[in-house]
Amino acid sequence: MQVYTTNHAPSVLHTHSWRTVQNSAPHLLPYLTTTPKSISNPKVLDVGCGPGSITIDIARLLPSAHVTGVEYVPDPLPQARDLAAKSGITNIDFQVADIHALPFPDESFDIVHVHQVLQHISDPVNALRELHRVTTRGGIVSLRESASMTWYPVNQGISAWLALTTEVAMERGGNPHPGNRIHCWAREAGFELGRMERSAGTWCFSTPEEREYWGEGMARRMEGSGFADGVVDGGFASRSEMEGIARGWREWVGDEQGWFAVLHGEVICRK
């Protein structure tokens, strides 16, 4: 069921650690700052927490809540726990759990957050049914997935990267860049369309610092990560082709006119 095409290598965790509520879940922010008074101690679940940067941000914004971050493998969780401890965040815990069979009773959480996870599993509707199950009546499930990408200037390495990552994800049963239809999956899973709030958000990388973060991170993934190893071992591309993609990313990083944007689909599902 899990078709995540990479692993939690340092190059991947470096990219994920940049994410916060403000830059990666802005549609959720109003629900973290104005929780109903009837919920005195909300319980929050962050599914696919990775190194925990968003999870910790949620716990910081909701100090009266208890926040649980889950990941399907244990690899990134020590870093997440260490970051929480260094940040002085105590209303939080991290554990291993599968989105398809969460180890929690029905209606356990008032807020469930999922970011860039549904694209990495073969049956997102089944996963959403499980999220529906663990959400309280009156609670919400927050979803955000990439929908499309665009960049400037024309760059053959980045074009090859997008084609390759899409091919590998589809070959392994994933659903790359599904942000334009996650509300449809949620409806199939039992959420009412009339109780959803649909929106769009973006990432944009254009300053030297932003280009270095995004482009260099992608270049390193092409050189050393679970994705790179899987691509070569699976015969999708040669090591030299991967090196060419990495060079393309670094050319973009070095171009002062470089610009890259990701459009995301966002949905708040009320149960």
Side-chain angles (χ1 to χ4, degrees), residues 32-230:
L32 302 178
T33 55
T34 59
T35 54
K37 293 181 179 179
S38 59
I39 305 176
S40 55
N41 300 108
K43 290 183 172 57
V44 182
L45 178 65
D46 184 19
V47 180
C49 63
S53 57
I54 296 178
T55 325
I56 291 166
D57 212 18
I58 292 172
R60 183 184 294 111
L61 290 165
L62 268 182
S64 65
H66 186 83
V67 183
T68 297
V70 299
E71 187 58 72
Y72 80 105
V73 291
D75 306 32
L77 299 186
Q79 180 175 329
R81 295 185 183 108
D82 184 57
L83 180 60
K86 288 180 178 178
S87 303
I89 302 298
T90 59
N91 58 325
I92 198 167
D93 72 280
F94 296 95
Q95 59 183 280
V96 175
D98 183 351
I99 191 174
H100 304 93
L102 294 168
F104 308 112
D106 294 355
E107 301 192 17
S108 294
F109 298 96
D110 304 293
I111 298 173
V112 176
H113 170 257
V114 186
H115 181 272
Q116 303 282 41
V117 173
L118 299 179
Q119 62 187 272
H120 296 300
I121 57 180
S122 60
D123 190 351
V125 173
N126 181 51
L128 283 164
R129 290 193 183 106
E130 184 68 351
L131 300 184
H132 186 280
R133 179 186 69 79
V134 301
T135 303
T136 59
R137 294 290 173 183
I140 65 167
V141 175
S142 171
L143 310 173
R144 193 177 199 242
E145 299 282 336
S146 60
S148 64
M149 300 181 181
T150 186
W151 60 88
Y152 181 87
V154 171
N155 184 296
Q156 294 302 315
I158 298 178
S159 296
W161 165 82
L162 182 58
L164 179 63
T165 55
T166 301
E167 178 189 4
V168 172
M170 293 184 69
E171 179 69 22
R172 295 182 178 177
N175 297 276
H177 311 303
N180 64 344
R181 57 191 180 277
I182 51 177
H183 60 288
C184 302
W185 291 342
R187 188 177 188 182
E188 286 185 61
F191 294 98
E192 296 178 19
L193 190 62
R195 292 176 60 79
M196 296 182 199
E197 296 176 16
R198 291 171 282 173
S199 58
T202 60
W203 286 339
C204 186
F205 308 100
S206 63
T207 68
E209 295 77 16
E210 291 166 347
R211 296 197 310 275
E212 175 70 20
Y213 153 73
W214 184 250
E216 181 60 27
M218 291 301 175
R220 290 177 182 174
R221 287 197 197 193
M222 298 302 102
E223 295 171 332
S225 69
F227 176 80
D229 294 339

